[in-house]
């Protein structure tokens, strides 16, 4: 017998009733998220400055990160110092996938960081992130101008010709909600098994980045 606490065992009818009750709350949350998404699509935008980053191939501008796409998502990877890497940013980047799907929606992706390009390139190689475009924002005010404050942040941009505008930004739990592994874990009985979650007594939990 397992020593870990588990959900109570009930009849099929009782489970179906409890699931139906939860479904009502889930559908309302979905409708709320749809309303928020509609409001997000109606946000105004603000013109953003010109920045020149450093890529593994040489200088690259913010405009050039778009490629031929009209929209660009930029994740600001936290700079944790010359011999360290942000665990949260690493976990997030491990979840970045299906960039071809973004491209079909006319969205390019890039990860930037105030880390030196040599440090980024070495980490990208070590982690096997060859599919994720990256550039160093070291020596620029991009991170500060975005409001990252030395942390992590996701920004969305739109271009009109060579003019670049910021349309949206999110951080903290707004970024967290984008993670495939976290989203699927939220559907499982034990959740993410992290100590900040509101879980029943006896559920397995550990520090988020322990």
């Amino acid at each position: 017998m397992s020593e870990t606490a588990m959900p109570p065992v009930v009849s099929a009818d009782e489970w179906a009733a409890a699931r139906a009750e939860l479904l009502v709350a889930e559908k309302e949350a979905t409708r709320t998220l749809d309303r928020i998404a509609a409001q997000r699509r109606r946000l105004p935008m603000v013109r953003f400055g010109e920045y020149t980053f450093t890529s593994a191939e040489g200088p690259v501008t913010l405009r050039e990160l778009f490629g031929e796409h009209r929209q660009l998502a930029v994740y600001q990877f936290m700079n944790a110092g010359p011999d360290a890497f942000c665990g949260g940013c690493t976990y997030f980047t491990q979840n970045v996938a299906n960039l071809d799907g973004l491209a079909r929606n006319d969205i390019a992706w890039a990860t930037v960081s105030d880390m030196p390009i040599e440090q980024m390139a070495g980490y990208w190689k070590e982690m096997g992130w060859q599919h994720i475009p990256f550039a160093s924002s070291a020596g620029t005010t991009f991170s500060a101008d975005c409001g990252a404050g030395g942390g992590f942040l996701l920004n969305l941009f739109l271009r009109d010709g060579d003019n670049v505008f910021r349309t949206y930004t999110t951080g903290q739990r707004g970024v967290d909600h984008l993670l495939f592994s976290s989203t699927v874990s939220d559907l499982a009985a034990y959740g993410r098994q992290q100590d900040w979650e509101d879980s029943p007594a006896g559920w397995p939990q550990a520090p988020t980045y322990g």
Side-chain angles (χ1 to χ4, degrees):
M1 179 71 80
S2 171
E3 296 181 358
T4 303
M6 296 187 296
V9 179
V10 298
S11 69
D13 288 344
E14 289 174 306
W15 183 88
R19 178 66 189 95
E21 181 180 356
L22 176 61
L23 184 60
V24 172
E26 289 179 332
K27 286 188 173 182
E28 179 54 37
T30 297
R31 287 189 286 268
T32 298
L33 290 174
D34 286 343
R35 290 192 293 269
I36 293 172
Q39 183 177 356
R40 186 182 299 116
R41 288 190 294 271
R42 288 164 173 79
L43 277 176
M45 61 184 183
V46 60
R47 188 163 184 169
F48 226 63
E50 297 179 3
Y51 302 87
T52 299
F53 308 125
T54 304
S55 75
E57 291 73 37
V60 59
T61 66
L62 178 61
R63 163 62 187 89
E64 288 171 334
L65 292 178
F66 283 80
E68 297 305 313
H69 298 295
R70 293 230 28 219
Q71 300 177 96
L72 170 68
V74 176
Y75 179 70
Q76 185 78 29
F77 196 114
M78 185 187 300
N79 179 17
D83 301 310
F85 298 94
C86 170
C89 292
T90 296
Y91 182 61
F92 177 87
T93 306
Q94 288 172 324
N95 278 261
V96 175
N98 195 19
L99 297 185
D100 289 341
L102 281 183
R104 285 193 290 272
N105 289 328
D106 206 17
I107 304 169
W109 177 278
T111 301
V112 303
S113 176
D114 285 341
M115 287 187 285
I117 189 60
E118 296 81 10
Q119 185 180 359
M120 292 188 75
Y123 199 49
W124 255 240
K125 182 178 181 179
E126 176 186 342
M127 300 302 293
W129 293 339
Q130 293 89 345
H131 66 292
I132 302 175
F134 65 95
S136 172
S137 53
T140 76
T141 61
F142 180 77
S143 176
D145 294 345
C146 287
F152 64 91
L153 200 69
L154 182 69
N155 283 282
L156 276 297
F157 297 97
L158 174 71
R159 71 175 179 88
D160 180 19
D162 288 333
N163 296 318
V164 175
F165 303 86
R166 181 160 67 162
T167 60
Y168 182 70
T169 185
T170 189
Q172 305 299 324
R173 293 297 299 277
V175 169
D176 175 81
H177 289 158
L178 304 177
L179 301 179
F180 170 79
S181 55
S182 295
T183 300
V184 175
S185 295
D186 287 340
L187 305 180
Y190 290 141
R192 306 183 195 185
Q193 303 180 42
Q194 295 173 3
D195 57 8
W196 61 268
E197 293 177 288
D198 181 359
S199 296
W203 254 227
Q205 289 189 319
T208 302
Y209 300 118

